[in-house]
């Protein structure tokens, strides 16, 4: 189990076959059987603050900033997602979690998610996968 508040968050995302990987400094805590992870994404010209609450059965991703919205990844049920990008542009989706796994050891928490987003437009669904690795930062000697 990670006992340090300072962590490195490595996020590898694959959406419709396009892969993107980034590493961020972050913070971690464990309370009430829930992993609490925060990090800030400075990608592009926008800033997005991300908060993750993950336990053995589901994960909530909360975003504020350039990208805003809550995504509940729960393999037991589909959820509705309202997502805002860059201000007034808002999109709605139905989120279906195909796979959710969480694994941990003394130095790392690893979360794997595979999901599908449906927007009701009749267009092909968006297929995504995320691997989130949270590692304790090495202490300086």
């Amino acid at each position: 189990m990670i006992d340090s508040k300072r962590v490195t968050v490595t996020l590898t995302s694959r959406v419709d076959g396009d892969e993107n990987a980034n590493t961020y400094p972050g913070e971690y805590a464990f309370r009430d059987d829930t992993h609490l992870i925060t990090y800030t994404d400075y990608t592009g010209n926008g800033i997005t603050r991300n908060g993750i609450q993950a336990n053995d059965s589901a994960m909530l991703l909360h975003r504020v900033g350039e990208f805003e919205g809550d995504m509940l990844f729960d393999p037991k049920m589909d959820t509705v997602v309202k997502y805002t990008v860059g201000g007034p542009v808002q999109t709605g989706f139905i989120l279906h979690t195909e796979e959710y796994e969480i694994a941990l050891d003394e130095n790392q928490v690893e979360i794997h998610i595979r999901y599908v987003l449906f927007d009701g437009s009749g267009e092909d669904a968006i297929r995504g996968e995320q691997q989130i690795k949270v590692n304790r930062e090495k202490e300086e000697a």
Side-chain angles (χ1 to χ4, degrees), residues 86-125:
V89 179
Q90 189 175 79
T91 305
F93 295 100
I94 294 175
L95 170 63
H96 173 74
T97 304
E98 292 184 332
E99 187 177 312
Y100 172 78
E101 298 173 345
I102 188 167
L104 53 126
D105 64 31
E106 62 207 34
N107 294 313
Q108 178 175 272
V109 174
E110 188 171 340
I111 302 167
H112 178 257
I113 303 163
R114 196 164 38 87
Y115 62 92
V116 181
L117 293 171
F118 301 95
D119 68 0
S121 69
E123 296 291 321
D124 288 341

Side-chain angles (χ1 to χ4, degrees), residues 28-49:
Y28 171 89
F30 184 75
R31 273 195 298 264
D32 300 325
D33 294 326
T34 302
H35 304 274
L36 306 170
I37 305 156
T38 60
Y39 64 94
T40 302
D41 182 346
Y42 296 98
T43 303
N45 293 326
I47 299 171
T48 304
R49 185 80 172 143

